[in-house]
Amino acid sequence: MIEFTHQIPTKIIFGPDKLGQLGTELAAFGKKVLVVYGGGSIKRNGIFDKAVESMQEAGLTWFEQGGVEPNPKVTSVQAGADLCKKEGIDVILAIGGGSVIDCAKGIAAAAFYDGDAWDLPTHKAPIGRCLPIVSILTLAATGSEMDPVGVISNKDTEQKLVISNPALRPAVSFLDPTLTYSVSAFQTASGSADIMSHIMEDYFVDGDGSMYMLDRIKEGMMKTVIHYAPIAIADPTNYEARANLMWTSSWAINGFTGALCNCEWTNHMIEHELSAIYDITHGLGLAIVTPRWMRYVLDDTTAPKMKEFAVNVFGVDASLPDKEAALKGIECLEDFFFNKLGLKSTLTEIGIGEENLEVMAKKACNGKETLNGWRVLTPAQIVEILKACL
Ligand code: NZQ
Ligand code: ZN
């Protein structure tokens, strides 16, 4: 049966030169702002200065939590939460990509929790009250700017875990495609692979998880990424390409396309274990894993949906038998990730060997016997998929 609740309250302010409104948007939540950012790209490209100007005009006071790492660490979350408590912060301003926004979500939740911030991703404590978040997105990829999820890593335990709560959706997100002009070719490629994967994880579902209208929209979104990502890589200041990627990133994971998805995200669960141990770029890991997963689960029951993907997304000949068309679709996906986007195609190339395959496969099941995606996988089967990635 088709039934769901749809509520996406994030206010989106899309387009260039909108940061003049930032101070007013922040002031709606109070006077004291914690600005969270990463390794310094926002200071080099002038975004920080524009944000400061607008906060000054609105008479706000701000504190800084910089240095948030890609695959943000719980230590950054804890430091930010401690600062919020000490200074009585009213609202968090996250300026950056998914790592910065996710870290801000961790801080927003931990700011009202008296224990260790790691208790929240490990479910030792429930997420309660959260600080409001305003974001300025600088990299089109994760969709964190419009979703209720944050992904936090712990180096000591080699875990990468999700926090999720409706209160963690940013209240306001500024989406200015020109702010992504400075994103490197590699991060543009990885981000585009991540967007593709978000759509695919919700596309490859059965029965109640599927809906004709949503499937056609998802195919349109995938075609958008396939069309515009190579353009953005070749021509980084192409506004049309950057704008299309940015808006697709938000809608790929904000709950709209996944409203009916009834299973776990297989490739994400596997990739999170890769980046938990090896700290690799998320989208790169997804690009390596996804085609191998598709080949592994391809059988008579999955072939029809994979053929639909091949025909509708990559224009594969619809008259081919299901499995043949499905395989051609997988080849097209590999060509997109590894030739058009230029991403490395194996784990070996990025320095990952056989040493942790069993550990990662077990952890990908997240405490259960199996990983319950489109096709249920045992740890031994996940090892087979990872071996195919080497
Ligand atoms: O740290 P700075 O200096 O800002 O540099 C970053 C970083 O080195 C750089 N960058 C960002 N914007 C830039 C820029 N460089 C130049 N110009 C700009 N405008 O790009 C590098 C990567 O940034 P990061 O934020 O790590 O990338 P991404 O947005 O791909 O985020 C990845 C993280 O998000 C998680 C991933 O697992 C990973 O930890 N995810 C979050 C999700 C969510 N919240 O829903 C879902 C995803 O599936 C994913 O798991
Ligand atoms: Zn992702």
Side-chain angles (χ1 to χ4, degrees), residues 160-331:
K160 182 169 181 175
L161 300 175
V162 165
I163 50 169
S164 181
N165 190 284
L168 294 177
R169 271 190 213 268
V172 183
S173 282
F174 286 80
L175 270 55
D176 175 353
T178 69
L179 301 186
T180 64
Y181 285 174
S182 55
V183 175
S184 67
F186 170 68
Q187 288 295 342
T188 302
S190 300
S192 300
D194 191 21
I195 302 170
M196 275 296 284
S197 177
H198 295 160
I199 305 164
M200 291 176 71
E201 299 269 29
D202 282 341
Y203 181 85
F204 290 113
V205 290
D206 285 328
D208 283 358
S210 189
M211 188 179 183
Y212 183 91
M213 168 269 209
L214 283 176
D215 278 353
R216 302 296 82 79
I217 288 174
K218 288 176 213 174
E219 287 158 1
M221 291 168 74
M222 288 189 268
K223 287 167 84 166
T224 303
V225 178
I226 291 161
H227 178 70
Y228 282 110
I231 296 174
I233 289 169
D235 180 12
T237 59
N238 186 308
Y239 185 84
E240 185 180 311
R242 294 294 193 182
N244 273 277
L245 290 175
M246 192 171 242
W247 200 213
T248 308
S249 89
S250 305
W251 281 88
I253 192 175
N254 69 8
F256 170 62
T257 59
L260 298 163
C261 183
N262 51 7
C263 57
E264 289 182 290
W265 282 18
T266 308
N267 297 284
H268 272 70
M269 298 302 276
I270 296 174
E271 193 294 315
H272 282 175
E273 298 313 325
L274 286 167
S275 45
I277 295 183
Y278 298 99
D279 219 349
I280 62 169
T281 299
H282 172 64
L284 169 63
L286 289 170
I288 294 172
V289 172
T290 304
R292 276 64 182 227
W293 165 77
M294 289 179 77
R295 283 182 197 281
Y296 191 83
V297 300
L298 175 58
D299 60 19
D300 289 341
T301 67
T302 56
K305 185 80 183 193
M306 285 206 209
K307 176 182 179 179
E308 212 172 297
F309 167 80
V311 171
N312 293 344
V313 177
F314 284 108
V316 167
D317 181 356
S319 67
L320 290 172
D322 288 358
K323 265 195 186 165
E324 203 179 319
L327 278 170
K328 281 203 183 300
I330 298 170
E331 283 165 18

